[in-house]
Amino acid sequence: MSPADTKEIYGSLVFNEHVMKERLPSATYKSLKATVQKGQPLDLDVANVVASVMRDWAIEKGATHYTHWFQPLTGITSEKHDSFISPMKDGTAIMEFSGSALVRGEPDASSFPSGGLRAVAEARGYTTWDPTSYAFVKDNTLCIPTAFCSWTGEALDKKTPLLRSMKAVSDQACRILHLFGKDIPHIDVTVGPEQEYFLIKKEHYEKRQDLILTGRTLFGATPAKGQELEEHYFGALRPEVSSFMQDLDRELWKLGVAAKTRHNEAAPAQHELAPIFDRCNVAVDHNLLTMEMMKRIAPKHGLVCLLHEKPFAGVNGSGKHDNWSLSAPHMNLLDPGDTPMDNLQFLIFFAAVIKAVDEYQDLLRMCIAGAGNEHRLGGGEAPPAIVSVFVGDDLSAILDAIASDSEYVAPQSVKIDLGVDVLPKFAKDNTDRNRTSPFAFTGNKFEFRMPGSSANISDANTVLNTAVAKELKGYADELEQGGDFDKNVIALVKRTIRDHKRVIFNGNGYSKEWVEEAKRRGLDFQPAAAEALASMIAPKNVELFEKMGVLTETEIRSRCEVKLEHYSKLRHIEAVTMMEMTRRQLIPASVEYMTVLADGIRTKAAACPGISCRAEEKLLRQLTSFTDAMSDDADGLEGQVERAERCTNALERAQAYHSLVLPAMDALREAADSAESICGREHWPLPSYSEMLYYV
């Protein structure tokens, strides 16, 4: 595809500002823009005009239906399609789409997880248009990004609290900026999520019931080669992978998703896509579209996209690095500038983030916890389950100087000279990067590295926005009391650093020493997902969400219930899948091979009496032992699942799945993987790790 073609298709399926400005009447366009930028109420007359123009545009793009595209608490997107057709009495039909249909929809609210907010008999729910995220055409359907709530008004989705949190942080940031003499109506939270994923052959995927049902391999002997040669990272792309990536970029660009960077990741068969930053809710919508398109496009290239956090044991899992920042017109509020020591505006926003991370470590850990991420965090490949902030040596020195009232001496600019005249010299950055930090400052943004690859990042950004908004509110309340403003800002930043310095860590977050050091500092350490999820309803966290107008206590408790239930259900599916595969595939395969071995021993002994059959007998004994262990461990796993299912409390059930079922699953896997390692290759029913990761 030529650069001209790229420019032509970019955003071609999006009802974006360019289309609106071109097609909407001037007054309608200005009114809608005021709604988007300033939060002004949307007039129904304006909605009717927008709906009419949007319908005509969508029909030109091939759309026959429209849908309210929303994000229920399942973590994925949902859509119910309605046609534009409206029959007439004379047997003809017209294409109709009203402002009320644009603004509001009514899906069934009883069939989505609600954590007790909706009973089965209470079906009414509403979707309502989010005009700050552009509508788009997908599969000949006009997709309208919406929020989703119950008949009684509670949020049943992930977008509603995200939008509330964005408003909260904007309101409080504007108060701070006003004190600096800058009257700005709103600020934007900007996000750029880097998406990691695996691609494997479709033919291998179709032979793995575990991948089909759970997204990860529940069995798989360690291959002779993993990622120890470190050759895959940024390596040359396989032809089919390159073709997939080109196709993916093309489809995402049509939808206005600014896919920017693509490359091989560290693990074999692992890859990454990174977009350009966008407004927080739009970035979330685009990431959900990206995941959908990845899974849809891969089979066209004979591949399957795996978005699970840990599809393969023994190699790196997949995360989703959430690059988060705050921006106002013509300025990034987290840009330190050339003299960060003297940049009070930067320092106060920077301090607010540090304080928020320290005070709400448990919430940041909670918002990324889940069954998939539990296999990834702390595995020497991803940030640990301890939340800390990397700020780099330069900023650390600045913060130390502020906290101790000492003089700060800025480092001299250093040029990198590679000793080859033809290579240009370039300026060295003031600080290194730290890929082991869960929350790292990377120049003018924070990179939250803990979210998992399959996650809807609304949760992570809702927590981050809300916590920072609360700290900014506290700062604004204090600074608005008057006095010497600069002096008060410095005192506030100094106090924040002194009180919350414990959360700053620039070292190796993968090391065992850091775990002990973090405990000495009093930082939260919660490796189990169940306990991390339960922290959502801690009194201080309920108070935070309620105080900032992001979630009510009822909504918070329902979400906690949903998350715990989701964890248990995923573990249950994994355990039952393991038992079924063991009993119906793996044990029969082992028995078949043992029969071959036994027949071979008899045939060999009959043909040549007294001949040694030691190798065959040894193999037969080993495989018999592993097969017996598989049978016993499958029975043991079944018993532990039954124990977990008897728990009536959501937290207790999740804890039981973690403490009882997971160890039983590990034991069964160990026996099965041992059997795979000696079973004849033509007899083992599952594609091996070597086949799946090193396909040609």
Side-chain angles (χ1 to χ4, degrees):
M1 185 169 60
S2 70
D5 292 334
T6 301
K7 185 177 179 181
E8 183 69 24
I9 69 167
Y10 189 84
S12 60
L13 297 179
V14 184
F15 192 72
N16 54 30
E17 188 167 340
H18 173 76
V19 174
M20 289 188 279
K21 190 173 184 179
E22 188 177 73
R23 290 179 175 243
L24 292 174
S26 178
T28 303
Y29 171 73
K30 290 178 180 177
S31 178
L32 181 60
K33 196 167 183 180
T35 296
V36 172
Q37 293 186 344
K38 301 177 183 178
Q40 294 181 1
L42 181 67
D43 186 87
L44 184 58
D45 291 336
V46 171
N48 280 323
V49 176
V50 173
S52 177
V53 174
M54 189 184 288
R55 174 204 61 204
D56 292 344
W57 169 83
I59 289 172
E60 290 174 17
K61 298 296 180 183
T64 57
H65 290 68
Y66 68 91
T67 183
H68 279 195
W69 189 71
F70 60 102
Q71 304 169 29
L73 298 181
T74 54
I76 57 175
T77 58
S78 294
E79 49 196 66
K80 180 189 74 170
H81 297 196
D82 290 294
S83 72
F84 289 123
I85 290 177
S86 181
M88 305 298 288
K89 291 182 179 179
D90 63 358
T92 61
I94 60 172
M95 305 298 272
E96 195 171 52
F97 184 52
S98 66
S100 59
L102 167 64
V103 170
R104 196 193 83 166
E106 190 178 324
D108 187 333
S110 66
S111 298
F112 292 102
S114 69
L117 284 178
R118 296 266 79 192
V120 174
E122 298 170 339
R124 193 181 298 279
Y126 302 110
T127 49
T128 181
W129 179 33
D130 170 16
T132 64
S133 185
Y134 299 135
F136 54 91
V137 171
K138 175 173 68 76
D139 295 336
N140 296 326
T141 300
L142 172 64
C143 298
I144 304 157
T146 58
F148 179 41
C149 67
S150 71
W151 178 70
T152 48
E154 293 97 353
L156 292 175
D157 67 340
K158 294 179 179 287
K159 174 173 284 240
T160 300
L162 178 67
L163 292 172
R164 292 171 182 168
S165 72
M166 291 168 62
K167 181 181 185 304
V169 76
S170 176
D171 289 348
Q172 302 309 319
C174 287
R175 290 177 65 194
I176 297 290
L177 291 174
H178 176 74
L179 293 168
F180 280 94
K182 301 173 182 178
D183 289 324
I184 295 172
H186 79 285
I187 66 102
D188 281 327
V189 180
T190 57
V191 168
E194 303 169 18
Q195 179 69 53
E196 295 176 343
Y197 60 99
F198 281 82
L199 290 173
I200 65 169
K201 286 283 191 180
K202 187 171 182 284
E203 62 195 69
H204 295 154
Y205 174 83
E206 290 173 342
K207 295 176 181 177
R208 302 269 331 197
Q209 185 181 354
D210 48 2
L211 281 176
I212 293 171
L213 296 183
T214 74
R216 73 181 181 102
T217 52
L218 302 174
F219 303 102
T222 302
K225 179 182 178 182
Q227 64 186 70
E228 60 270 23
L229 295 181
E230 301 171 333
E231 60 189 346
H232 191 258
Y233 192 55
F234 282 19
L237 300 172
R238 290 177 171 124
E240 58 267 68
V241 171
S242 178
S243 179
F244 159 81
M245 288 180 170
Q246 293 175 45
D247 200 0
L248 176 63
D249 280 346
R250 188 180 304 112
E251 295 307 311
L252 290 178
W253 289 339
K254 290 178 185 178
L255 294 167
V257 180
K260 178 71 172 177
T261 303
R262 62 193 190 196
H263 62 83
N264 284 347
E265 252 300 331
Q270 188 186 35
H271 316 280
E272 181 179 287
L273 179 149
I276 296 173
F277 281 62
D278 215 324
R279 190 189 307 115
C280 184
N281 61 314
V282 175
V284 171
D285 287 353
H286 283 178
N287 182 248
L288 291 167
L289 272 174
T290 297
M291 292 193 289
E292 179 184 338
M293 289 299 162
M294 284 176 169
K295 295 183 78 68
R296 177 183 298 190
I297 292 170
K300 297 178 182 179
H301 300 270
L303 303 169
V304 170
C305 176
L306 304 178
L307 291 171
H308 193 283
E309 284 74 15
K310 194 72 171 178
F312 300 100
V315 298
N316 280 11
S318 295
K320 180 147 41 193
H321 302 165
D322 190 81
N323 294 281
W324 180 94
S325 192
L326 300 173
S327 66
H330 313 299
M331 62 176 161
N332 183 326
L333 302 182
L334 291 175
D335 186 349
D338 296 331
T339 56
M341 181 71 176
D342 302 317
N343 190 341
L344 295 184
Q345 179 179 292
F346 161 73
L347 287 173
I348 195 169
F349 282 100
F350 189 76
V353 176
I354 291 174
K355 186 180 181 194
V357 173
D358 187 29
E359 291 190 342
Y360 296 100
Q361 303 165 48
D362 55 343
L363 270 183
L364 287 168
R365 170 71 180 95
M366 176 281 300
C367 72
I368 55 83
N373 228 10
E374 195 169 44
H375 296 288
R376 170 179 165 262
L377 294 182
E381 58 171 78
I386 304 168
V387 178
S388 63
V389 182
F390 168 83
V391 301
D393 295 337
D394 193 30
L395 275 174
S396 287
I398 290 174
L399 298 178
D400 287 342
I402 293 173
S404 60
D405 291 320
S406 57
E407 182 180 358
Y408 168 72
V409 179
Q412 295 294 316
S413 178
V414 177
K415 291 281 188 178
I416 298 290
D417 184 354
L418 295 177
V420 181
D421 291 339
V422 73
L423 297 177
K425 298 178 178 63
F426 55 93
K428 177 182 177 181
D429 288 315
N430 287 336
T431 189
D432 203 349
R433 294 180 63 192
N434 188 329
R435 68 180 300 272
T436 72
S437 174
F439 199 83
F441 186 68
T442 55
N444 60 4
K445 65 186 187 303
F446 284 93
E447 184 180 20
F448 189 21
R449 296 173 55 88
M450 296 177 79
S453 52
S454 69
N456 180 328
I457 52 171
S458 289
D459 288 346
N461 287 290
T462 296
V463 168
L464 189 52
N465 295 345
T466 306
V468 172
K470 181 255 188 182
E471 307 307 348
L472 291 175
K473 180 181 186 305
Y475 287 177
D477 290 345
E478 183 174 335
L479 293 172
E480 285 171 352
Q481 299 303 311
D484 186 322
F485 179 68
D486 287 1
K487 184 178 179 181
N488 289 342
V489 169
I490 293 171
L492 190 153
V493 172
K494 182 186 300 185
R495 187 177 71 233
T496 298
I497 300 309
R498 286 176 175 173
D499 292 347
H500 301 283
K501 187 178 179 180
R502 65 173 185 168
V503 81
I504 297 174
F505 178 65
N506 294 332
N508 181 6
Y510 293 173
S511 69
K512 295 179 180 178
E513 291 78 12
W514 167 232
V515 175
E516 297 306 315
E517 170 65 17
K519 290 178 181 178
R520 285 193 293 272
R521 293 188 186 193
L523 298 180
D524 289 334
F525 179 50
Q526 198 57 263
E531 280 72 18
L533 292 171
S535 69
M536 188 176 191
I537 56 174
K540 75 176 182 69
N541 296 333
V542 173
E543 181 184 6
L544 168 71
F545 286 120
E546 288 202 309
K547 183 177 182 180
M548 301 314 300
V550 173
L551 289 166
T552 66
E553 182 172 356
T554 300
E555 290 171 331
I556 295 165
R557 292 188 176 279
S558 70
R559 276 163 168 71
C560 183
E561 187 86 4
V562 168
K563 287 176 178 292
L564 289 168
E565 287 183 351
H566 189 65
Y567 176 88
S568 296
K569 288 175 180 177
L570 286 177
R571 288 284 180 248
H572 180 82
I573 292 170
E574 289 178 346
V576 173
T577 301
M578 283 193 87
M579 289 185 284
E580 185 172 318
M581 291 178 69
T582 299
R583 290 163 174 165
R584 299 184 64 184
Q585 288 184 282
L586 306 189
I587 290 178
S590 292
V591 169
E592 179 183 278
Y593 186 54
M594 286 190 289
T595 301
V596 171
L597 288 173
D599 289 345
I601 292 171
R602 284 193 293 269
T603 302
K604 188 176 179 181
C608 190
I611 194 171
S612 172
C613 296
R614 185 159 55 90
E616 296 95 321
E617 291 170 351
K618 178 182 177 182
L619 191 58
L620 183 58
R621 290 191 185 93
Q622 287 179 324
L623 194 52
T624 298
S625 175
F626 295 143
T627 305
D628 288 344
M630 278 196 285
S631 178
D632 293 342
D633 290 340
D635 293 343
L637 175 58
E638 186 172 21
Q640 299 295 15
V641 169
E642 290 172 354
R643 286 182 62 185
E645 284 297 300
R646 285 196 291 269
C647 297
T648 56
N649 176 275
L651 175 58
E652 291 176 357
R653 187 183 307 115
Q655 289 171 327
Y657 269 102
H658 174 79
S659 61
L660 301 177
V661 176
L662 264 183
M665 291 171 63
D666 291 341
L668 175 53
R669 175 167 188 157
E670 183 178 356
D673 291 354
S674 297
E676 180 189 353
S677 67
I678 61 172
C679 186
R681 184 173 180 177
E682 69 277 10
H683 293 274
W684 197 254
L686 307 179
S688 68
Y689 269 30
S690 296
E691 291 173 295
M692 290 186 287
L693 294 175
Y694 292 98
Y695 59 85
V696 293

